[in-house]
């Protein structure tokens, strides 16, 4: 078991992006009579639920990856989560997204001498000239403007146009904020090209009419977005676009059980600029998770009207205005993609009933929100919990995320406990029993193999650290 786990853990390290590893689907599980039979990826497992994802949605609600199942309102559908119009992620979903964001930042390490991290506010100054966009407006000001819209201008009251013109703009893309910092950041890299600016953050958008339940209301969705703005010489932009396409597709695939579900397609916008969309194949069809686009120098020149000398970067012995390549990803959709990718239905060999299938979220070790669950077996409860508390502190200090199952007061069988942790995508379950008090030995169960082995408690931290390559 240790050998197979270490193979899975190595890809968690900060390897060069060009050498990304692609993990094949899990071949099956080994073990004793209670072990499960061959596990099948959810997308190809068959059955009536695979088209709309109801089975996965129930797991995500039950294990708090997503919010929306137990709320006093109509249950949300996958289109709500895809559009960003939902109640948000649950605690495990937040941790999963945080791990994905962390891995995105690590993917820039091969170029960290050329890539700078930037940030920008969620809202911008008023833009009266902008005909469209999401604006920040106090409801009282809008109400007063609407009340006076049909009356003559009296006592200096502001018109609706003036109120809207003074309203700040909500951020719909990370790109403008990054471009606004290009000139100052160029000095930090000695004006040398190529260079890049990286950012992650929340952006807002209007939900398309086809996705609205009420046609008379306009809903606002939000998404966690990643952006790499890459500035290069015009003569090499095409090569860089092809390069980043390969790197980004490899990055999405390296965490997947079924890498082939991630794909790409090319496009041209209305201005003839070339780009690529990266997709994930959901059961109902493909959805875009990232867009790469060659923007040329248009946006940069618009951001800095007038004096273009501050835009000049060094390309060898020449000074040129760079072209901008934008790689913008929707990390919230990425979370949903990996949830679909990781769910496997494992049949119990003792029964073929569908309700007896065990559902396992086999998230990549780097993305799994919880690496270890600590629980207690037979023995004196107080002493066992003290051991668990000490082990919890030790593992947490070594940056290993732990679920304190020993605090649970409702007693369940071990099989029910393992089924719960499999749905939570916990990599290892550590069982503290009376044997631990006698000789220091604990039981360690693997999520991916369901096999159990005995290990001395003093070896746990080093073993888990090596397995997950933290």
């Amino acid at each position: 078991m240790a050998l197979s786990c270490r193979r899975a853990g190595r890809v968690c390290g900060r390897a060069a992006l060009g050498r990304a590893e692609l993990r094949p689907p899990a071949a099956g599980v080994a073990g004793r009579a209670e072990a499960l039979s061959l596990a099948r990826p959810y997308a190809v497992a068959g059955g009536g639920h695979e088209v709309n994802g109801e089975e996965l949605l129930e797991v995500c609600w039950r294990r708090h990856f997503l919010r929306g199942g137990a709320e006093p309102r109509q249950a949300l559908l996958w289109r709500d989560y895809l559009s960003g119009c939902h109640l948000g992620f649950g605690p495990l979903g937040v941790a999963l997204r945080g791990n994905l964001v962390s891995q995105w930042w690590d993917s820039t390490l091969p170029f960290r001498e050329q890539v700078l991290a930037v940030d920008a506010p969620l809202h911008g100054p008023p833009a009266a000239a902008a005909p469209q966009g999401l604006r920040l407006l106090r409801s009282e000001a809008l109400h007063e403007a609407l009340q006076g819209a049909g009356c003559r201008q009296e006592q200096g009251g502001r018109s609706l146009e003036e109120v809207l013109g003074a309203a700040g703009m909500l951020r719909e893309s990370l790109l403008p904020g990054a471009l606004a910092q290009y000139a100052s950041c160029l000095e930090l890299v000695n004006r040398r090209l190529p260079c890049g600016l990286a950012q992650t953050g929340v952006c807002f958008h209007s939900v398309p009419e086809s996705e609205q339940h009420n046609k008379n209301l306009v809903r606002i969705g939000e998404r966690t977005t990643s952006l790499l703005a890459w500035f290069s010489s015009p003569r090499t932009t095409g090569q860089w676009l092809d390069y980043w396409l390969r790197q980004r597709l490899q990055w999405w695939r390296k965490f997947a059980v079924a890498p082939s579900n991630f794909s790409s397609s090319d496009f041209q916008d209305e201005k003839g600029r070339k780009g690529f969309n990266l997709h994930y194949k959901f059961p109902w069809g493909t959805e875009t998770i990232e867009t790469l686009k060659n923007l040329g120098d248009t946006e940069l020149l618009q951001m800095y009207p007038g004096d273009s000398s501050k835009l000049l970067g060094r390309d060898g012995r020449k000074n040129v205005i760079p072209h901008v390549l934008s790689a913008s990803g929707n990390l919230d959709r990425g979370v949903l993609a990996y949830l679909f990718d990781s769910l496997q239905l494992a049949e119990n060999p003792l029964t073929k009933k569908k309700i007896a299938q065990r559902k396992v979220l086999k998230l990549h070790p780097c993305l799994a929100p919880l690496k270890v669950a600590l629980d207690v077996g037979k023995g004196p409860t107080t002493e066992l919990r003290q051991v668990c508390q000490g082990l919890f502190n030790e593992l947490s200090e070594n940056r290993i995320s732990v679920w304190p199952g020993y605090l649970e007061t409702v007693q369940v069988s071990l099989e029910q406990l393992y089924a719960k942790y499999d749905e939570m995508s916990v990599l290892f379950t550590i069982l503290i029993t009376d044997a631990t008090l006698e000789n220091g030995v604990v039981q360690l169960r693997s999520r991916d193999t369901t096999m159990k082995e005995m290990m001395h408690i003093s070896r746990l931290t080093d073993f888990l650290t090596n397995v997950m390559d933290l």
Side-chain angles (χ1 to χ4, degrees):
M1 182 195 76
L3 178 61
S4 64
C5 290
R6 285 191 175 91
R7 286 176 178 169
R10 282 198 186 106
V11 293
C12 206
R14 297 180 176 181
L17 198 54
R19 300 193 299 272
E21 298 180 45
L22 307 183
R23 297 198 306 159
V29 287
R32 297 170 292 186
E34 75 271 20
L36 305 175
S37 67
L38 187 65
R40 300 174 294 169
Y42 177 64
V44 297
H49 293 289
E50 67 173 9
V51 175
N52 52 19
E54 289 180 6
E55 233 165 7
L56 176 60
L57 203 53
E58 289 293 336
V59 172
C60 291
W61 287 338
R62 183 165 60 248
R63 301 308 173 199
H64 303 284
F65 283 91
L66 301 174
R67 293 180 58 201
E71 304 293 336
R73 52 173 288 179
Q74 182 179 2
L76 297 176
L77 303 175
W78 281 115
R79 67 167 177 259
D80 298 303
Y81 294 100
L82 288 168
S83 68
C85 291
H86 56 87
L87 299 174
F89 291 117
L92 294 192
V94 171
L96 169 56
R97 183 176 60 191
N99 290 341
L100 187 61
V101 171
S102 177
Q103 290 299 315
W104 184 87
W105 281 108
D106 283 351
S107 70
T108 66
L109 283 180
F111 301 94
R112 66 185 193 181
E113 292 181 347
Q114 301 163 275
V115 178
L116 300 175
V118 296
D119 197 9
L122 289 171
H123 57 85
Q132 296 179 343
L134 302 175
R135 298 175 183 265
L136 287 169
L137 186 64
R138 291 181 61 88
S139 59
E140 296 88 346
L142 179 61
H143 180 68
E144 291 176 2
L146 291 174
Q147 278 189 329
C151 305
R152 295 180 179 179
Q153 199 76 8
E154 296 178 357
Q155 300 177 356
R158 293 194 300 172
S159 66
L160 180 60
E161 290 76 11
E162 291 174 330
V163 171
L164 292 176
M169 305 292 293
L170 271 178
R171 183 170 69 186
E172 297 186 62
S173 170
L174 297 179
L175 183 63
L179 294 181
Q181 302 181 62
Y182 164 75
S184 59
C185 291
L186 189 61
E187 299 293 337
L188 294 175
V189 294
N190 295 319
R191 311 191 73 85
R192 184 178 57 191
L193 298 177
C195 64
L197 299 178
Q199 183 180 357
T200 58
V202 174
C203 291
F204 302 88
H205 58 273
S206 299
V207 177
E209 291 185 2
S210 60
E211 298 181 19
Q212 293 180 18
H213 301 295
N214 189 335
K215 301 297 182 180
N216 297 321
L217 297 176
V218 177
R219 297 192 300 166
I220 296 178
E222 63 178 73
R223 64 196 186 280
T224 302
T225 306
S226 63
L227 172 72
L228 174 63
W230 188 251
F231 306 91
S232 65
S233 167
R235 65 182 178 85
T236 60
T237 301
Q239 299 173 20
W240 280 114
L241 180 60
D242 292 337
Y243 172 83
W244 282 115
L245 170 65
R246 293 193 301 270
Q247 299 304 308
R248 296 306 304 148
L249 188 57
Q250 286 179 2
W251 184 82
W252 285 106
R253 285 176 168 176
K254 77 174 184 175
F255 303 113
V257 175
S260 61
N261 283 332
F262 290 90
S263 61
S264 65
S265 64
D266 61 336
F267 69 89
Q268 280 192 340
D269 65 10
E270 62 278 0
K271 297 180 181 179
R273 298 181 295 189
K274 183 180 178 182
F276 294 93
N277 285 322
L278 303 185
H279 312 278
Y280 179 75
K281 185 180 179 182
F282 289 91
W284 55 81
T286 60
E287 301 284 352
T288 300
I289 56 174
E290 186 165 1
T291 298
L292 293 85
K293 193 173 183 180
N294 179 5
L295 301 174
D297 58 8
T298 304
E299 277 79 0
L300 201 56
L301 291 172
Q302 290 176 348
M303 182 64 66
Y304 298 90
D307 185 12
S308 61
S309 61
K310 63 177 68 175
L311 304 179
L312 294 175
R314 291 191 294 112
D315 176 34
R317 296 182 178 181
K318 296 182 179 180
N319 290 326
V320 298
I321 296 177
H323 281 196
V324 183
L325 189 155
S326 168
S328 179
N330 188 330
L331 298 182
D332 286 347
R333 282 193 179 183
V335 168
L336 302 180
Y338 285 124
L339 287 172
F340 267 96
D341 173 77
S342 66
L343 180 62
Q344 295 193 359
L345 305 180
E347 294 179 353
N348 189 323
L350 301 179
T351 176
K352 297 299 182 182
K353 293 181 180 180
K354 189 178 180 72
I355 58 174
Q357 289 179 328
R358 173 170 289 182
K359 303 171 183 67
V360 185
L361 282 180
K362 290 195 175 182
L363 288 166
H364 190 280
C366 291
L367 301 183
L370 297 167
K371 315 304 182 188
V372 173
L374 277 177
D375 225 299
V376 294
K378 294 182 179 179
T381 303
T382 302
E383 289 82 350
L384 294 181
R385 287 189 175 181
Q386 289 177 347
V387 174
C388 287
Q389 185 64 60
L391 187 56
F392 178 93
N393 294 335
E394 180 181 341
L395 295 176
S396 298
E397 289 173 359
N398 285 271
R399 299 173 55 221
I400 298 175
S401 55
V402 186
W403 178 258
Y406 56 90
L407 298 179
E408 180 63 58
T409 57
V410 178
Q411 297 295 321
V412 297
S413 68
L414 282 180
E415 282 306 310
Q416 290 174 313
L417 191 68
Y418 295 147
K420 169 186 173 181
Y421 290 150
D422 285 345
E423 290 185 356
M424 295 170 65
S425 196
V426 176
L427 297 178
F428 294 98
T429 301
I430 300 174
L431 197 63
I432 308 295
T433 64
D434 51 3
T436 310
L437 301 178
E438 295 175 4
N439 52 31
V441 173
V442 302
Q443 184 188 92
L444 188 70
R445 177 192 182 268
S446 167
R447 175 200 69 185
D448 293 336
T449 66
T450 72
M451 293 181 63
K452 309 176 186 71
E453 70 174 61
M454 309 306 290
M455 180 178 296
H456 196 273
I457 193 170
S458 62
R459 293 182 51 209
L460 277 175
T461 301
D462 289 340
F463 171 79
L464 294 171
T465 301
N466 291 333
V467 164
M468 288 170 282
D469 196 20
L470 295 174

